[in-house]
Amino acid sequence: MEKDYYKILEVEKDATLDEIKSKYRHLASIYHPDVSDDPEATKKMALINEAYDTLKDPDKRRNYDMYGSSNSVNESDAYENYNPSSTYYEYN
């Protein structure tokens, strides 16, 4: 399932860089593992960092808006269903 970075950072798609940065800092102050009692804080903070890393960079953000991923090819999906034995000699 595709991650919605705007939803993760709780901002609108037309948010400015200042709004994104402000929301990132706010969420980091809540979910940073050093200050949060939430057992999922590390995972949440990783998602928040990933979303911020993509949306703060104009090129990554444009690519994400166009293709739904910060990469032109979603690398995790590219290898998820890869079966090397089916690549060659599919016939018996």
Side-chain angles (χ1 to χ4, degrees), residues 34-56:
D34 290 345
V35 296
S36 178
D37 294 333
D38 187 344
E40 297 290 316
T42 302
K43 290 180 184 179
K44 289 178 182 178
M45 197 63 215
L47 283 174
I48 291 166
N49 283 329
E50 181 180 337
Y52 180 65
D53 184 54
T54 299
L55 297 182
K56 73 177 181 178

Side-chain angles (χ1 to χ4, degrees), residues 38-80:
D38 187 344
E40 297 290 316
T42 302
K43 290 180 184 179
K44 289 178 182 178
M45 197 63 215
L47 283 174
I48 291 166
N49 283 329
E50 181 180 337
Y52 180 65
D53 184 54
T54 299
L55 297 182
K56 73 177 181 178
D57 182 294
D59 293 330
K60 288 181 182 180
R61 184 176 181 178
R62 185 174 26 259
N63 193 35
Y64 173 76
D65 289 342
M66 290 176 68
Y67 302 109
S69 175
S70 60
N71 303 320
S72 59
V73 174
N74 193 343
E75 294 173 7
S76 63
D77 292 342
Y79 298 104
E80 186 174 293

Side-chain angles (χ1 to χ4, degrees), residues 1 6 10 12 15-16 18 25 28 32-33 42 48 52 57 59 64 67 71 83 85-86:
M1 178 178 245
Y6 294 102
E10 301 173 358
E12 298 294 323
T16 66
D18 287 337
R25 288 180 176 177
H32 194 281
T42 302
I48 291 166
Y52 180 65
D57 182 294
D59 293 330
Y64 173 76
Y67 302 109
N71 303 320
N83 181 356
S85 62
S86 69

